[in-house]
Amino acid sequence: MYLPPQFNAKDEAHALALMRAHPFASLISVDDDGFPVVTHIPLHLTQPNGQHVLLGHCAKSNPHWRYLQARPQALVTFMGPQAYMSPKVYPDLTRVPTWSYLAVHAKVEAKLVEEPEAKDRLLKQLIGDHEQPYAAQWRSLAEDYQHKMLNGIVAFELGITELQCAIKLNQHRPESHAAMHAAYAQGTPDEQALAEWMVKLGMVEP
């Protein structure tokens, strides 16, 4: 992605935090004609043997898994909090509006997970992110129903080979930071999250 130096978050911890806080991602690769194809899915970030891996699945009827099988290299994007920024935050009037946002792009290598027990373990990790008590309900379902559900999906591991993290919060315009933080702190949930990141990055005092 286009990533000006002032917005390039080189601290890997920021990227990992965003992926965990905003797990609903866009998985992007190309179809057999070379045209981009996108699937929107939740992903679970794990770190086996120190490598960052994203776990996910799609419906077997979704052809995207076949494209991953044929061409394992893909891109995953995560969008964190984002919001409009008014030029009112500047002390002078010769300014224009812009948009604040946090985003992560992960270049990945895909590997299909086909063995039923491995798929089941993968699903339990995703369930643990969003509704841990459901794991007990899943285990109580009839075995043939579980097999039917597992057979209806294709699971995959997406090994991360490269990370980019954009944090665009007007870092290069310190004269705007106090007013910008005050405005965002009183705004929508996304705006409040941006205000929290400004504190986290040391742009303003807590």
Side-chain angles (χ1 to χ4, degrees):
M1 61 176 153
Y2 173 59
L3 194 53
Q6 65 267 29
F7 305 137
N8 186 359
K10 295 182 180 180
D11 187 342
E12 187 180 80
H14 293 330
L16 301 180
L18 282 167
M19 288 190 285
R20 290 191 174 101
H22 303 272
F24 192 64
S26 297
L27 172 62
I28 306 162
S29 55
V30 295
D31 64 16
D32 295 333
D33 297 319
F35 193 80
V37 59
V38 184
T39 295
H40 305 287
I41 48 173
L43 295 172
H44 171 81
L45 176 64
T46 185
Q47 294 168 284
N49 304 316
Q51 185 196 6
H52 303 312
V53 177
L54 296 164
L55 306 179
H57 66 87
C58 65
K60 189 170 282 186
S61 56
N62 181 345
H64 202 156
W65 68 269
R66 297 186 188 276
Y67 307 144
L68 292 174
Q69 187 176 48
R71 291 167 294 279
Q73 212 172 72
L75 177 69
V76 178
T77 68
F78 298 81
M79 178 56 71
Q82 48 79 29
Y84 172 80
M85 190 185 77
S86 169
K88 292 178 181 178
V89 299
Y90 296 105
D92 59 298
L93 298 178
T94 314
R95 298 291 177 179
V96 294
T98 189
W99 207 270
S100 301
Y101 64 87
L102 282 70
V104 176
H105 285 196
K107 187 176 178 180
V108 299
E109 192 80 17
K111 175 186 173 184
L112 300 188
V113 177
E114 302 182 75
E115 198 272 320
E117 288 187 6
K119 280 204 287 188
D120 185 66
R121 286 194 298 272
L122 183 150
L123 287 177
K124 284 186 172 64
Q125 291 188 72
L126 279 164
I127 290 168
D129 286 345
H130 308 289
E131 191 182 6
Q132 196 165 5
Y134 178 76
Q137 182 178 332
W138 167 256
R139 286 192 294 269
S140 71
L141 297 172
E143 192 171 323
D144 60 339
Y145 181 80
Q146 289 187 40
H147 288 161
K148 180 181 176 182
M149 293 296 100
L150 286 171
N151 287 334
I153 66 168
V154 177
F156 36 77
E157 298 177 349
L158 306 171
I160 297 175
T161 58
E162 185 180 330
L163 273 176
Q164 285 184 313
C165 182
I167 297 182
K168 184 178 179 291
L169 287 171
N170 228 25
Q171 291 95 317
H172 59 313
R173 301 294 183 196
E175 71 276 14
S176 70
H177 292 174
M180 183 176 163
H181 180 265
Y184 278 162
Q186 300 300 316
T188 66
D190 261 17
E191 290 171 331
Q192 292 175 30
L194 291 173
E196 291 171 7
W197 271 93
M198 292 183 74
V199 173
K200 183 176 183 177
L201 295 172
M203 295 170 62
V204 293
E205 294 293 327

